[in-house]
Amino acid sequence: MSTLAAARADNFYFPPEWDPKKGSMNKQQGQHPLRERAKKIDQGILVIRFEMPFNVWCDGCGHLIGKGVRFNAEKQEIGKYHSTKIWSFTMTAPCCQQRIEVQTDPKNAQYNVVSGGKQKAESYSAADAEVMELMDQHDKEKLDDPLSKLEHHTDVMIKKKAQNERLVDLKDDSSAKYKNDYAMNKLLRKNLRGVKKDDKQRDQRRIALGLHDAIKLLPESPGDAQAASFVHFGDSRAFTKNWQKKRKSIAASSIFSHAAVAAARKKEAPLPGNLVLRDSEYVSEHDAFMNMEGVYIVATGHLQAVLTPVNEVQVSLEQQDLDLHTTDYRKAIRAAASSVESVQPTKHNFSDPSSLQKVCDFTLDLKAVVAANSSGSLGPPADPPQVSELDSAGSRWLGRLRNQGSRDKPMQPQDLILNGSLSSRNCGIQLQINATTSHNEVYEAKAVNYTFMVTALAFVQVLLLLRQMESTTTQATASKVSLLMLGQQAVIDAYLCLLHLTTGFVAEPLFNAFATASFFEFVNFAIFEMQYLLSIWRARRGPALDTWHTQRELAILYVRFYGALLAGSCRWS
């Protein structure tokens, strides 16, 4: 760079025509020292470089102006907040030449976008950012208050004076403790050598035991030694003798299970199942559910089982149990004692029969006979399955008894009559049972056939409705159709849809069948009949002149239809 160019760049160049008597160079040339930046200085406006303090959305084109973008902004004083000046910065957006004005806010110590754009909302909470908030809003407001700030400063000074004494004591203690650094280092190294020695001994013991390197032995404790002393493994010779005896008994026994062998010898079929005791024909919360484990004896036609209630059935102890201290009495005492809590003990009157209860044990004894069939005879059921089939088919055999016959003639299911008793000896309960077979599959088959018929009728109804809609395409023919009758038909189909859907929810095995029928009924009334209803309403009303009036009448029509549907449903329920 030449000397002249360097002088001009540094504003130290003075031309030959410059006269010092006329003042400075700017005054002689009639210009402001800031040149183009001060072209509006007479209006109080100065052009400066302004950096956007936050992200701003441009109102002109929706462009995002990022934080830190710099502009040639016009700076102007527009007011004061107390003694602090309020400045306005006006700039032109580079995307669409939109004028954006940003003002200072001394009260809140921030900038505000006044016009031409809007600040992008980027607020966050401490919970969302997963950080710890140092001060809550209440503490921040207290710091903004001068009196609260002064009071806080006073409290801090009081705490500082109170803690200074403690800090001095800690410092003196630390200095006294580590004054003799040689002795402290010697003691520390001695303790470390002892720890290393113990670790080395435990590693040698681990290697002697043959344990893996990843297993670390812990130091021994008196509690571990005491617990190990209570463990008794017995005599190794007795263990070997018992093991050899067990092996001989296994080798001498049959490969089949004892239950299968016993069932094969006695002609018994294992029959697990469930039993429900209900006070009426409807399900209630007082039903008693029991698990059944029993056998069917072919020779006598008897079913004998032991019942285990899901929820224990309990009755009050009798005076005889209290006097003789029977087994039921001891069980009730143990049950009552186990229910006593350590924090708030429950008070039991162990001499009062009403406060002690015993658990009932139930047994079932039934006589199974085949009901009168086509031959008009009563007799014992057919033979059970073969012995090899007892485990897989024995539990289903009693409910699937069939007539004896050849392979060419299929066997038909027979009804059973069960007569017997359900009793509990320790509780003195005796119930007589008389039960017959219930064929639910027959009712299910009929229900499925019914749903097929309803589905077919709904499909035929849709076809006929489409045929009628094609024949009433003109306004004259459509106006002759009864709007009331069509609405009643739509309401009836809606009721049928709800009825089949509710039935499907109640009878879960038949849900698919009833849901299909309900779907066709829904399509019938919600799509075709409502569309036809609107077509007839438009034909009766004529061309629409007032849109608002037309929408009002259409809303009234919908309200009447669904109101009638809802009112009928409420009355029916």
Side-chain angles (χ1 to χ4, degrees):
M1 182 180 293
S2 63
T3 306
L4 180 60
R8 286 181 176 178
D10 297 334
N11 291 330
F12 292 129
Y13 172 73
F14 297 93
E17 62 271 16
W18 175 68
D19 187 4
K21 297 179 181 181
K22 296 181 180 181
S24 64
M25 180 67 66
N26 294 322
K27 185 176 181 180
Q28 183 178 355
Q29 295 181 357
Q31 65 181 7
H32 196 275
L34 298 179
R35 309 265 177 110
E36 294 296 329
R37 295 172 54 192
K39 61 182 178 180
K40 297 182 181 181
I41 197 65
D42 56 341
Q43 303 176 13
I45 299 175
L46 179 65
V47 178
I48 65 169
R49 290 293 286 176
F50 180 78
E51 184 175 326
M52 192 65 71
F54 37 67
N55 296 325
V56 175
W57 294 103
C58 179
D59 287 345
C61 60
H63 181 72
L64 178 63
I65 302 174
K67 176 182 178 181
V69 178
R70 297 180 179 181
F71 298 89
N72 290 331
E74 297 179 354
K75 176 182 177 183
Q76 183 180 10
E77 181 183 352
I78 60 173
K80 288 187 177 182
Y81 175 74
H82 298 293
S83 61
T84 305
K85 296 180 180 180
I86 299 177
W87 297 99
S88 172
F89 304 93
T90 306
M91 63 211 75
T92 302
C95 50
C96 62
Q97 303 302 315
Q98 172 74 14
R99 299 283 291 177
I100 300 176
E101 182 180 359
V102 179
Q103 294 181 2
T104 59
D105 186 5
K107 180 179 179 180
N108 299 317
Q110 64 182 9
Y111 290 91
N112 294 329
V113 181
V114 178
S115 62
K118 56 184 178 181
Q119 181 181 356
K120 182 181 179 183
E122 294 179 325
S123 60
Y124 69 97
S125 63
D128 296 337
E130 297 182 355
V131 296
M132 183 178 64
E133 188 173 9
L134 298 180
M135 292 189 298
D136 55 6
Q137 189 64 25
H138 179 67
D139 294 337
K140 293 179 180 179
E141 293 177 355
K142 287 178 62 177
L143 292 180
D144 293 338
D145 187 6
L147 295 179
S148 299
K149 189 175 182 180
L150 180 60
E151 183 180 358
H152 177 71
H153 179 71
T154 305
D155 295 340
V156 170
M157 295 303 295
I158 294 174
K159 291 181 180 178
K160 182 179 179 181
K161 291 180 180 179
Q163 293 176 357
N164 280 337
E165 298 178 0
R166 176 60 177 167
L167 291 175
V168 172
D169 294 340
L170 291 176
K171 185 178 180 180
D172 294 341
D173 182 70
S174 178
S175 301
K177 184 180 295 183
Y178 295 101
K179 184 176 182 179
N180 191 355
D181 53 355
Y182 174 77
M184 295 300 299
N185 188 21
K186 182 178 180 181
L187 180 62
L188 181 62
R189 293 175 64 84
K190 181 179 180 181
N191 295 335
L192 183 60
R193 284 193 296 270
V195 172
K196 288 184 177 180
K197 183 178 179 181
D198 294 340
D199 293 341
K200 185 177 181 180
Q201 292 179 356
R202 286 196 297 270
D203 288 339
Q204 293 177 354
R205 185 176 181 184
R206 176 184 58 78
I207 295 173
L209 295 175
L211 300 178
H212 194 267
D213 295 342
I215 301 176
K216 300 297 182 181
L217 296 181
L218 299 178
E220 296 181 357
S221 63
D224 295 339
Q226 184 178 5
S229 62
F230 294 144
V231 179
H232 179 67
F233 296 99
D235 190 3
S236 59
R237 292 176 297 178
F239 171 77
T240 305
K241 185 176 180 180
N242 293 333
W243 174 74
Q244 293 176 353
K245 183 178 180 181
K246 187 68 175 178
R247 292 278 298 180
K248 290 180 181 180
S249 62
I250 293 175
S253 62
S254 175
I255 61 175
F256 299 100
S257 62
H258 295 285
V261 175
R265 293 176 180 176
K266 300 180 181 179
K267 291 293 182 179
E268 296 177 355
L271 293 174
N274 300 310
L275 181 66
V276 181
L277 297 180
R278 185 171 296 139
D279 191 18
S280 60
E281 59 180 343
Y282 300 105
V283 178
S284 66
E285 59 181 3
H286 302 293
D287 297 345
F289 296 88
M290 301 184 183
N291 297 325
M292 182 179 70
E293 291 290 340
V295 294
Y296 176 76
I297 303 176
V298 180
T300 59
H302 276 268
L303 171 64
Q304 296 179 352
V306 177
L307 302 180
T308 304
V310 177
N311 296 324
E312 294 183 346
V313 180
Q314 298 180 345
V315 297
S316 299
L317 284 175
E318 300 176 356
Q319 188 63 34
Q320 182 180 359
D321 296 324
L322 294 172
D323 297 338
L324 299 178
H325 291 185
T326 59
T327 305
D328 293 333
Y329 171 78
R330 293 192 295 271
K331 289 181 179 180
I333 287 291
R334 286 194 294 269
S338 62
S339 64
V340 177
E341 299 181 359
S342 59
V343 179
Q344 295 180 353
T346 304
K347 296 181 179 180
H348 289 276
N349 187 4
F350 295 100
S351 62
D352 187 5
S354 61
S355 64
L356 297 177
Q357 295 181 336
K358 59 182 178 180
V359 180
C360 299
D361 299 329
F362 291 92
T363 57
L364 181 66
D365 187 6
L366 296 177
K367 172 72 174 180
V369 295
V370 179
N373 50 21
S374 57
S375 61
S377 62
L378 284 172
D383 291 338
Q386 299 297 326
V387 175
S388 60
E389 301 176 357
L390 285 178
D391 294 337
S392 60
S395 60
R396 302 189 301 269
W397 170 76
L398 186 59
R400 301 174 58 186
L401 292 176
R402 298 181 180 277
N403 292 329
Q404 295 179 351
S406 62
R407 295 182 179 180
D408 299 334
K409 182 179 180 181
M411 296 182 292
Q412 302 297 330
Q414 293 182 350
D415 294 342
L416 290 179
I417 298 178
L418 302 177
N419 296 317
S421 62
L422 174 65
S423 60
S424 175
R425 293 185 177 180
N426 62 332
C427 294
I429 299 175
Q430 183 78 17
L431 297 177
Q432 297 296 327
I433 297 178
N434 184 7
T436 57
T437 305
S438 176
H439 296 284
N440 294 331
E441 65 277 2
V442 177
Y443 300 103
E444 293 179 359
K446 291 182 179 180
V448 172
N449 295 335
Y450 166 76
T451 55
F452 286 156
M453 180 188 68
V454 172
T455 303
L457 290 178
F459 186 72
V460 171
Q461 187 177 358
V462 170
L463 295 179
L464 295 177
L465 187 59
L466 291 176
R467 183 70 178 273
Q468 185 177 0
M469 292 173 65
E470 292 177 356
S471 62
T472 56
T473 55
T474 62
Q475 182 178 358
T477 55
S479 60
K480 296 180 180 180
V481 180
S482 175
L483 191 65
L484 179 61
M485 295 302 297
L486 186 59
Q488 291 179 354
Q489 182 63 35
V491 171
I492 293 174
D493 290 336
Y495 285 155
L496 290 176
C497 174
L498 296 176
L499 179 61
H500 290 103
L501 186 61
T502 304
T503 307
F505 281 121
V506 174
E508 292 186 0
L510 304 175
F511 176 77
N512 294 334
F514 280 99
T516 304
S518 175
F519 172 73
F520 276 95
E521 293 291 347
F522 175 78
V523 171
N524 191 10
F525 92 88
I527 299 178
F528 295 101
E529 290 181 348
M530 289 300 298
Q531 182 67 25
Y532 194 30
L533 191 66
L534 292 178
S535 300
I536 295 174
W537 176 76
R538 292 193 188 98
R540 286 174 171 268
R541 189 181 179 281
L545 299 178
D546 187 1
T547 306
W548 172 253
H549 186 65
T550 304
Q551 293 180 355
R552 181 173 177 272
E553 291 184 355
L554 183 61
I556 293 175
L557 179 65
Y558 273 104
V559 169
R560 288 179 179 177
F561 174 77
Y562 287 105
L565 180 63
L566 182 60
S569 299
C570 294
R571 185 175 181 182
W572 177 48
S573 60

